């Protein structure tokens, strides 16, 4: 079983910064993509950023240039540095990984519980 523990959410003022962290633990043979998604009130979930095992990164249009995703393969962690925050970034942020737990397993998607980010104007 694979678990994700997220940390770093909270309250920030517009123009401020927050850093989210997510650590994967449990039975992990390999992790391909690690990502952060977010769901704002009344909106659909959207990709904030992702990074695959080769280091290729993708960003949602609304966060590109302000957010930076990074991963530590040795620690099975993925971070999201969020700068120049705006009230529109207010959302629950979810960590997501595409992981193969063992040799006998297929690749699966695992989601974290989510962490609230609130940006005040």
């Amino acid at each position: 079983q694979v678990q994700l523990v997220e940390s770093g959410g909270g309250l920030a003022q517009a123009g401020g910064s927050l850093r989210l962290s997510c650590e994967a633990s449990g039975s992990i043979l390999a992790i391909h993509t690690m990502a952060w998604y977010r769901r704002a009130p009344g909106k659909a979930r959207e990709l904030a950023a992702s990074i695959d095992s080769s280091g290729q990164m993708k960003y949602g249009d609304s966060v590109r240039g302000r957010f930076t995703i990074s991963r530590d393969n040795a620690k099975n962690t993925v971070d999201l540095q969020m700068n120049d925050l705006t009230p529109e970034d207010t959302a629950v942020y979810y960590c997501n990984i595409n992981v193969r737990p063992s040799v006998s397993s297929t690749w699966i998607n695992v989601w974290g519980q989510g962490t609230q980010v609130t940006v005040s104007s």
Side-chain angles (χ1 to χ4, degrees), residues 31-34 50-58 71 73:
I31 300 175
H32 183 253
T33 302
M34 307 184 83
S50 68
I51 181 168
D52 67 17
S53 55
S54 69
Q56 184 171 8
M57 295 169 280
K58 294 182 181 179
R71 65 188 280 174
N73 292 324

Side-chain angles (χ1 to χ4, degrees), residues 31-75:
I31 300 175
H32 183 253
T33 302
M34 307 184 83
W36 286 95
Y37 285 79
R38 67 184 188 180
R39 177 173 288 172
K43 295 186 178 181
R45 185 176 62 198
E46 65 174 0
L47 174 71
S50 68
I51 181 168
D52 67 17
S53 55
S54 69
Q56 184 171 8
M57 295 169 280
K58 294 182 181 179
Y59 292 95
D61 290 341
S62 60
V63 309
R64 188 174 292 113
R66 300 185 297 120
F67 291 10
T68 303
I69 192 169
S70 60
R71 65 188 280 174
D72 185 328
N73 292 324
K75 298 180 180 179

Side-chain angles (χ1 to χ4, degrees), residues 2-106:
V2 179
Q3 299 85 35
L4 298 179
V5 176
E6 301 147 330
S7 61
L11 179 64
Q13 291 188 330
S17 298
L18 284 174
R19 188 176 183 90
L20 304 182
S21 295
C22 174
E23 180 177 8
S25 62
S27 178
I28 297 173
L29 177 65
I31 300 175
H32 183 253
T33 302
M34 307 184 83
W36 286 95
Y37 285 79
R38 67 184 188 180
R39 177 173 288 172
K43 295 186 178 181
R45 185 176 62 198
E46 65 174 0
L47 174 71
S50 68
I51 181 168
D52 67 17
S53 55
S54 69
Q56 184 171 8
M57 295 169 280
K58 294 182 181 179
Y59 292 95
D61 290 341
S62 60
V63 309
R64 188 174 292 113
R66 300 185 297 120
F67 291 10
T68 303
I69 192 169
S70 60
R71 65 188 280 174
D72 185 328
N73 292 324
K75 298 180 180 179
N76 291 330
T77 59
V78 59
D79 291 349
L80 185 67
Q81 178 65 41
M82 306 184 294
N83 297 330
D84 194 21
L85 288 163
T86 73
E88 288 68 39
D89 294 316
T90 295
V92 178
Y93 285 71
Y94 298 91
C95 180
N96 170 266
I97 65 171
N98 185 238
V99 57
R100 188 177 182 185
S102 67
V103 173
S104 60
S105 301
T106 58

